[in-house]
Amino acid sequence: MKYPTLRRYLYLLLVPVLLPSAACAQQDGRAAEVALREGRYDDAIRIGRSASRADPTDVAARRALAQALYETGAYDEAVEAAAELPLIRGLALRARGRYAEAEAAFQEAIQAGGPDRLTAEFHLAELLYLRGEVDEA
């Protein structure tokens, strides 16, 4: 009986300590998004990298990082940063001339649905058109 009370007490002590670090990581992800929207790509990359290291599950930070890398022409790094973000990965792959891989990434984004679906459909159609596959586009 004594140990559950002790565990509960330790839990109550640790929650306030651990919670702020998670909140800070989320704020960093938002800060990276803001920097990206404002065109401050170097800041978005720096903040995005830091936030992604602090919290690898922070999708906002990873998305801002990958998009900023893409916008600055760091396509290989963008492909790596966008491993789980198929739309941005597809854009970076297309920019590198890796069309088959870009097509697969756009297809993945379409299959996943979500907010990137229509944009992925557009980029896939554009890619097919540029390759001369007009009927498929």
Side-chain angles (χ1 to χ4, degrees), residues 44-96:
I45 291 169
R46 180 181 48 78
I47 297 166
R49 280 191 176 131
S50 174
S52 294
R53 272 185 245 130
D55 181 6
T57 64
D58 187 346
V59 177
R62 287 186 293 122
R63 181 179 292 276
L65 171 61
Q67 186 71 40
L69 289 166
Y70 169 75
E71 296 293 341
T72 59
Y75 302 127
D76 292 331
E77 288 181 78
V79 169
E80 186 177 321
E84 297 175 21
L85 303 165
L87 174 64
I88 299 170
R89 189 174 71 245
L91 293 170
L93 288 165
R94 184 185 64 191
R96 296 296 293 154

Side-chain angles (χ1 to χ4, degrees), residues 22 32 39 64 72 78 86 91 99 106-107 109-110 137:
T72 59
L91 293 170
Y99 300 126
F106 293 141
Q107 290 284 4
I110 292 166

